Amino acid sequence: MTNSLSAASARLGAGLRIGVLALQGDFREHLRAAEASGAEGVSVRRPKELDGLDGLIIPGGESTAIDKLARAFDLAEPLRERIAEGLPVYGSCAGMILLASDVADPATDLAGNPQQTFGGLDITVRRNAFGRQRESFEADLEFKGLDFSATDTGVAPVHAVFIRGPWVERVGPDVEVLAQVEPADPEHASHAVPLPGTARIVAVRSGHLLATSFHPEVTGEKRVHELFIRMIRGEA
């Protein structure tokens, strides 16, 4: 099941310029999602392309590759500065890792230096926490903050796809938990790492920053992007 934007919501982004970091990963899908809201989607590969943005999306992909390419294109420091200055940013999967202040299991380069992040979210994430590609799974999540999509039967769950996704192991005092994956039902989703009695945090928000472990852009689930646009507009 997908949750497309309503006719009214399909113009919610009108007048906004939303950038998508287009160094690596599934940035095209996020550009389409931004444009489906009526916003102007902007591919961001150079520092000057950050100018005039109302918000930015950091897509899923390889967090280590995006980190290295951002530094190679002289984007890393400008991104850190814009995030610190209050630019609204949504990070999906690898984007969650890159927004985290701390990575529990950072990759290292040949010199032993750990991967870097852009920071902004006071969280600790664990990379590939749910396993490798073959352990990808889907789950229906209760997701806070989507009251704008309520119907007579309430707010529909978010159908989430996890592909080598991270999870959040620590949240700071100003970070709101929006969604968690509950312990796996053995008859349904399976996880590479057992989750007996332990829910795993997979969506968070702090002020102008939003992050999910999963990929709403691949399922037709538009409400996470709509939430981000409402955050940009100060409506959420």
Side-chain angles (χ1 to χ4, degrees), residues 119-130:
L121 279 174
D122 184 12
I123 60 174
T124 299
V125 298
R126 184 169 296 278
R127 301 164 52 249
N128 302 328
F130 290 106

Side-chain angles (χ1 to χ4, degrees), residues 134-150:
R134 64 179 177 272
E135 280 91 31
S136 299
F137 69 98
E138 303 179 22
D140 288 331
L141 307 176
E142 293 186 12
F143 198 109
K144 295 181 181 178
L146 301 184
D147 294 344
F148 56 80
S149 69

Side-chain angles (χ1 to χ4, degrees), residues 49-229:
E49 292 164 343
L50 291 170
D51 294 342
L53 294 183
D54 297 295
L56 177 72
I57 298 171
I58 304 175
E62 296 286 345
S63 62
T64 52
I66 296 173
D67 164 35
K68 291 175 182 177
L69 289 168
R71 285 184 276 158
F73 282 79
D74 295 323
L75 258 174
E77 196 55 40
L79 275 171
R80 292 188 187 97
E81 292 174 357
R82 297 300 177 91
I83 292 169
E85 291 168 357
L87 177 69
V89 181
Y90 166 45
S92 168
C93 198
M96 170 184 271
I97 297 169
L98 288 160
L99 285 175
S101 59
D102 184 49
V103 181
D105 57 342
T108 56
D109 61 21
L110 294 177
N113 299 310
Q115 70 181 96
Q116 299 180 22
T117 70
F118 308 135
L121 279 174
D122 184 12
I123 60 174
T124 299
V125 298
R126 184 169 296 278
R127 301 164 52 249
N128 302 328
F130 290 106
R132 298 184 180 277
Q133 193 87 9
R134 64 179 177 272
E135 280 91 31
S136 299
F137 69 98
E138 303 179 22
D140 288 331
L141 307 176
E142 293 186 12
F143 198 109
K144 295 181 181 178
L146 301 184
D147 294 344
F148 56 80
S149 69
T151 65
D152 292 342
T153 57
V155 177
V158 168
H159 188 71
V161 173
F162 294 84
I163 305 170
R164 298 177 60 194
W167 66 41
V168 179
E169 297 196 340
R170 178 196 63 84
V171 297
D174 296 325
V175 177
E176 180 184 9
V177 175
L178 300 180
Q180 301 181 74
V181 170
E182 299 299 329
D185 179 341
E187 296 182 0
H188 297 89
S190 62
H191 309 295
V193 180
L195 303 177
T198 303
R200 301 298 182 178
I201 299 169
V202 294
V204 295
R205 176 186 178 179
S206 181
H208 60 288
L209 302 177
L210 173 69
T212 64
S213 301
F214 55 89
H215 298 263
E217 73 282 0
V218 305
T219 63
E221 171 60 79
K222 300 296 193 298
R223 290 176 297 165
V224 176
H225 288 85
E226 181 173 353
L227 172 62
F228 179 55
I229 292 168

Side-chain angles (χ1 to χ4, degrees), residues 1-14 16 18 29-40 57 146 148-151 216-217 219-230 233 235:
M1 177 180 178
T2 61
N3 283 281
S4 300
L5 293 176
S6 66
S9 296
R11 301 305 301 169
L12 182 66
L16 297 179
I18 298 178
E29 290 82 354
H30 282 287
L31 282 168
R32 285 195 287 268
E35 290 165 353
S37 76
E40 176 188 357
I57 298 171
L146 301 184
F148 56 80
S149 69
T151 65
E217 73 282 0
T219 63
E221 171 60 79
K222 300 296 193 298
R223 290 176 297 165
V224 176
H225 288 85
E226 181 173 353
L227 172 62
F228 179 55
I229 292 168
R230 288 176 180 273
R233 292 200 178 280
E235 299 174 0

